[in-house]
Amino acid sequence: MMLTDQEFQQRVDQTLETVFAKLAGASDDYDFDVDMNNGALTVEFEEPRERFVVSPNSPVKQIWVSAHVQSYKFDWKPEAGAFMLLDSGQTLEDLMVSAIQKRIPDFHL
């Protein structure tokens, strides 16, 4: 089942708002900044400087993540009710946690 543009945008907004809220709450306890601007979520580290970017790609109805010089493409999986990596089944939230743990090993949500 293909999502309509409106359904895709609703799911993206809900997903990114949820991840943003969780990361924003955790950023007070860990050394990173999180921001939501123009529909894209960013996580930034100071030393060494690094940025993760999470943004929707509406034409292909995916969420794209750039982290640790890699690119990840998440598709909506209706049976899971989440955006997931097709090859591993990892959710967006799981990927963000593991990406941050590479910088901050004791990080958890």
Side-chain angles (χ1 to χ4, degrees):
M1 175 188 90
M2 191 65 150
L3 295 175
T4 67
D5 291 344
Q6 183 178 4
E7 290 169 332
F8 171 75
Q9 195 58 54
Q10 288 172 336
R11 286 178 173 84
V12 164
D13 291 346
Q14 181 181 35
T15 299
L16 293 185
E17 286 169 15
T18 299
V19 172
F20 173 75
K22 289 180 178 184
L23 293 178
S27 69
D28 293 339
D29 299 325
Y30 298 94
D31 194 21
F32 68 89
D33 293 316
V34 62
D35 188 36
M36 187 80 149
N37 196 5
N38 294 327
L41 176 110
T42 58
V43 176
E44 293 191 62
F45 301 91
E46 290 297 322
E47 292 298 325
R49 191 143 184 79
E50 187 173 21
R51 177 188 293 189
F52 304 159
V53 179
V54 181
S55 58
N57 186 320
S58 297
V60 292
K61 294 189 174 52
Q62 293 178 322
I63 293 178
W64 288 8
V65 177
S66 172
H68 300 298
V69 198
Q70 286 187 279
S71 177
Y72 304 90
K73 295 178 174 137
F74 289 81
D75 291 286
W76 178 254
K77 299 299 290 176
E79 60 276 7
F83 283 93
M84 303 180 84
L85 292 174
L86 294 181
D87 57 347
S88 69
Q90 191 174 32
T91 66
L92 177 62
E93 184 176 314
D94 291 342
L95 176 89
M96 295 307 293
V97 168
S98 66
I100 293 170
Q101 285 173 337
K102 289 181 181 177
R103 289 292 302 256
I104 306 169
D106 65 339
F107 176 78
H108 62 278
L109 286 178

